[in-house]
Amino acid sequence: MVASEERGDFPLNVDTKRDSAEMIKTKLRASENLLKECYAQFPNYSGIVKCLLENPMEKLLDICRLTVGIPLRPMLGKITQDLTQVFKKSEGKLLNCEYKYDGQRAQIHMDSNGVVTIFSRHLENMTEKFPDIVQVIPRICSDGVTSFIMDGEVVAINSDGQLQNFQKLSNRTRKNVELSKISVPVCVFAFDLMYLNGQSLLKLPLRNRRDLLHGNFVKVKGQFDFVAQIESSDPEEVHSFFKNSTEFGCEGIMVKVLDDPPSKTGNNQRTNLLASYEPDKRLESWLKVKKDYINGIGDSLDVVPIGAWHGNGRKARWWSPVLLAIYNPDAETFEGVCKCMSGFSDQFYAEMKLKYSKENGNISETKKPYYDVDDGIRPDVWFEPLEVWEIKGMAAVGNVDHEKGLSLRFPRFVRVREDKSVENATTSEQLAEMFFNQVNERKSEKNISIEGVLEDKNESDENDYASN
DNA sequence: GTCCCAAGAAGCC
DNA sequence: GTCCGACCAATTCGG
DNA sequence: CCGAATTGGTCGGACGGCTTCTTGGGAC
């Protein structure tokens, strides 16, 4: 990757004659890391290549640096199953806990000419989709703000300014959006600031970035706000904050390291408790705590596998995905509810392939009359209804096509329910109940109305997916 | 040539 | 978005 | 004390649901 002739003898350059194999390896690794770091904040290969052709590699980060108008790869949160492990890892340090809103990530740039660009998590340019956000940006800047890059979550709200679910946000038009015709208003909840007035803030600890964010921007009712947050090291306090977040209609919380460790010495190199903004990384310094990760309190369903497709690539030897069904005791049918391909180990795949095989007579080409599955869903094979699996996910209901009724967001396999027979699988009534429990949980929170969710419920009722 | 619909692609999570 | 497995490097373990 | 085994972290692949947007073919 590193051509040596042109760039002489700068340290990263490999000298194939003089360097030991070990040294070459080290240098290549260093170059690779440098390039990665560069790409994370300046994902533009033509720019990087041009820079490398004209400059020594040491200059790379100085030249291809964080730039307004060019998106950086966002820092990501690490999944955490258990709130208590958060405190073990943080060693009593103060943590910034923030609501994790159910919306869409947005990286907002404003250059020194006031030109606003909005990027998605995968660096797509979303500016066209959010003219309302573009329009409000001048009003959020305090005096003296000339340029910035900010990280936040775009969330759908209703006319009263209350949070709507993700589905609602999906209903927004994406192309040629006219300001006057926006049907789904949104609010930006900001949580980080990576660049301000010509300066990169990436290396600053979160505490400083957060304070700069709060100090240089102002709320605009219903359009721009900061994420709800507390600073704490108290497990009780954080736990109740987490609970509040889910009752408020959020997915959970983010728990972030606020300050850099006093000294690096003695610190385990594996524990990445950095308070800086690390583009494109998923470190322990940002922990994502969601209800459905946590054992016992997420939505779980007992379903029957009723069909499957031939897998691709790495899963070419197995059945993947698998079609899963809930049970309708009145009609004595199995109703397809979702496909699932996550949570299975290779060993489980192997056993599944053996069990559902021609040899064992448990598969067939034709759909059983007591399988109630949308015509559009045509598995390669149909299974005999043999067993019950526990799966996890989030009960959700679509807005557009209510005929589809309830479904499951992020379905994944948890375990086989040896103790259950197929007639004891979750029923459609129970699934509906699960969804409404989520709704009622939010409803019970005084200050928060959940008009949007209730609307969904009513509309859905009209389509009677939950009746009889 | 225009309209309509279904299937597929692309984009969020 | 979730999850698994492959891979790598740092850390710990055992002789 | 050093090599082997273990552990923790990163990365890539395989796909989930929902939605809007695009596209291609058939009817008229």
Side-chain angles (χ1 to χ4, degrees):
Chain A
M1 180 186 288
V2 182
S4 53
E5 290 83 23
E6 296 89 347
R7 284 190 304 280
D9 55 354
F10 61 89
L12 287 175
N13 208 16
V14 172
D15 184 333
T16 50
K17 293 218 177 76
R18 261 175 259 166
D19 290 346
S20 66
E22 194 70 15
M23 179 60 78
I24 291 175
K25 201 176 156 189
T26 307
K27 284 182 173 181
L28 285 178
R29 180 56 50 89
S31 307
E32 187 187 333
N33 290 339
L34 182 64
L35 194 54
K36 262 188 206 161
E37 186 182 350
C38 177
Y39 187 77
Q41 52 184 289
F42 191 90
N44 176 331
Y45 281 127
S46 29
I48 292 174
V49 169
K50 184 168 185 289
C51 172
L52 285 174
L53 287 172
E54 294 168 359
N55 301 279
M57 196 160 184
E58 279 79 355
K59 294 268 182 193
L60 186 59
L61 280 179
D62 298 330
I63 295 165
C64 297
R65 60 176 186 275
L66 186 58
T67 307
V68 177
I70 298 177
L72 65 152
R73 302 180 78 81
M75 185 164 176
L76 304 163
K78 183 162 214 174
I79 289 176
T80 310
Q81 321 284 348
D82 179 5
L83 255 181
T84 61
Q85 88 190 48
V86 170
F87 298 100
K88 263 183 216 141
K89 282 175 179 156
S90 69
E91 298 159 340
K93 272 188 283 207
L94 276 173
L95 299 165
N96 208 52
C97 306
E98 308 166 354
Y99 279 9
K100 186 179 190 313
Y101 296 79
D102 190 11
Q104 170 176 358
R105 188 93 178 247
Q107 193 182 108
I108 304 173
H109 293 228
M110 188 189 83
D111 71 14
S112 50
N113 296 316
V115 175
V116 174
T117 320
I118 301 166
F119 296 99
S120 71
R121 179 166 127 66
H122 296 292
L123 315 188
E124 297 288 327
N125 191 326
M126 291 277 147
T127 317
E128 187 191 2
K129 184 180 169 184
F130 296 111
D132 41 350
I133 297 177
V134 173
Q135 199 202 30
V136 80
I137 292 304
R139 294 167 60 200
I140 73 167
C141 298
S142 297
D143 289 349
V145 172
T146 56
S147 63
F148 68 85
I149 301 175
M150 169 190 289
D151 212 346
E153 190 82 6
V154 176
V155 186
I157 54 167
N158 67 7
S159 50
D160 297 329
Q162 287 137 349
L163 300 185
Q164 305 292 100
N165 57 18
F166 177 76
Q167 232 75 284
K168 207 82 181 176
L169 181 63
S170 310
N171 287 133
R172 263 183 82 112
T173 314
R174 296 171 193 158
K175 295 284 173 77
N176 306 313
V177 181
E178 286 177 52
L179 211 43
S180 57
K181 290 184 184 158
I182 289 172
S183 56
V184 182
V186 295
C187 183
V188 175
F189 291 88
F191 55 79
D192 217 318
L193 187 65
M194 297 84 97
Y195 186 96
L196 182 66
N197 299 344
Q199 296 232 292
S200 168
L201 310 180
L202 296 179
K203 298 292 177 199
L204 290 182
L206 174 60
R207 181 182 297 282
N208 301 43
R209 301 198 310 275
R210 184 197 62 184
D211 293 349
L212 285 168
L213 176 67
H214 288 144
N216 285 279
F217 297 90
V218 292
K219 297 180 189 180
V220 173
K221 195 164 188 293
Q223 290 195 273
F224 179 80
D225 203 342
F226 305 105
V227 294
Q229 59 195 293
I230 59 164
E231 198 176 308
S232 176
S233 59
D234 174 28
E236 286 287 311
E237 203 175 3
V238 175
H239 191 265
S240 100
F241 186 72
F242 168 73
K243 204 161 162 280
N244 290 345
S245 80
T246 61
E247 286 167 359
F248 191 71
C250 290
E251 296 183 292
I253 57 173
M254 298 294 297
V255 179
K256 300 179 180 176
V257 172
L258 262 173
D259 304 293
D260 280 325
S263 82
K264 310 270 175 190
T265 54
N267 240 25
N268 190 328
Q269 285 195 13
R270 285 183 181 286
T271 54
N272 293 302
L273 295 179
L274 299 169
S276 47
Y277 191 102
E278 299 290 329
D280 204 27
K281 295 216 170 126
R282 203 184 276 283
L283 304 177
E284 309 238 275
S285 40
W286 281 24
L287 296 173
K288 180 164 60 166
V289 187
K290 281 170 71 172
K291 193 174 156 184
D292 73 310
Y293 303 148
I294 293 175
N295 216 3
I297 66 168
D299 287 333
S300 94
L301 289 191
D302 296 321
V303 295
V304 180
I306 60 166
W309 287 259
H310 297 290
N312 291 303
R314 218 187 70 76
K315 299 192 177 180
R317 299 158 61 196
W318 326 120
W319 294 126
S320 179
V322 183
L323 179 61
L324 303 173
I326 52 177
Y327 187 57
N328 182 332
D330 300 324
E332 297 185 348
T333 54
F334 293 95
E335 302 173 355
V337 67
C338 69
K339 291 185 273 183
C340 182
M341 45 65 61
S342 204
F344 305 111
S345 66
D346 282 9
Q347 193 197 334
F348 191 84
Y349 275 123
E351 289 164 13
M352 196 201 305
K353 188 75 181 187
L354 205 65
K355 181 180 229 167
Y356 297 97
S357 62
K358 276 216 172 69
E359 294 71 48
N360 281 318
N362 290 327
I363 59 173
S364 77
E365 302 286 309
T366 49
K367 180 163 131 183
K368 306 208 174 290
Y370 52 91
Y371 282 176
D372 179 5
V373 175
D374 200 290
D375 281 341
I377 297 171
R378 295 185 207 99
D380 294 334
V381 292
W382 296 92
F383 288 180
E384 291 294 318
L386 291 181
E387 58 186 328
V388 177
W389 293 352
E390 180 181 342
I391 59 167
K392 260 199 166 189
M394 294 168 67
V397 61
N399 283 332
V400 164
D401 185 357
H402 288 290
E403 297 302 317
K404 283 182 189 164
L406 284 163
S407 68
L408 218 64
R409 200 145 62 124
F410 319 135
R412 67 264 194 196
F413 171 81
V414 177
R415 62 178 171 134
V416 176
R417 289 295 302 256
E418 308 274 7
D419 56 321
K420 282 201 166 188
S421 65
V422 293
E423 293 83 14
N424 294 322
T426 302
T427 63
S428 45
E429 285 90 341
Q430 287 168 333
L431 179 55
E433 200 179 322
M434 272 171 55
F435 177 71
F436 294 134
N437 281 345
Q438 290 180 2
V439 173
N440 290 330
E441 187 180 274
R442 295 193 208 178
K443 199 168 119 191
S444 64
E445 190 70 0
K446 301 192 268 303
N447 293 326
I448 295 96
S449 151
I450 40 141
E451 301 302 328
V453 182
L454 288 176
E455 258 172 50
D456 290 346
K457 175 188 184 306
N458 295 335
E459 286 167 22
S460 304
D461 279 346
E462 284 158 24
N463 287 288
D464 78 323
Y465 64 81
S467 59
N468 71 27

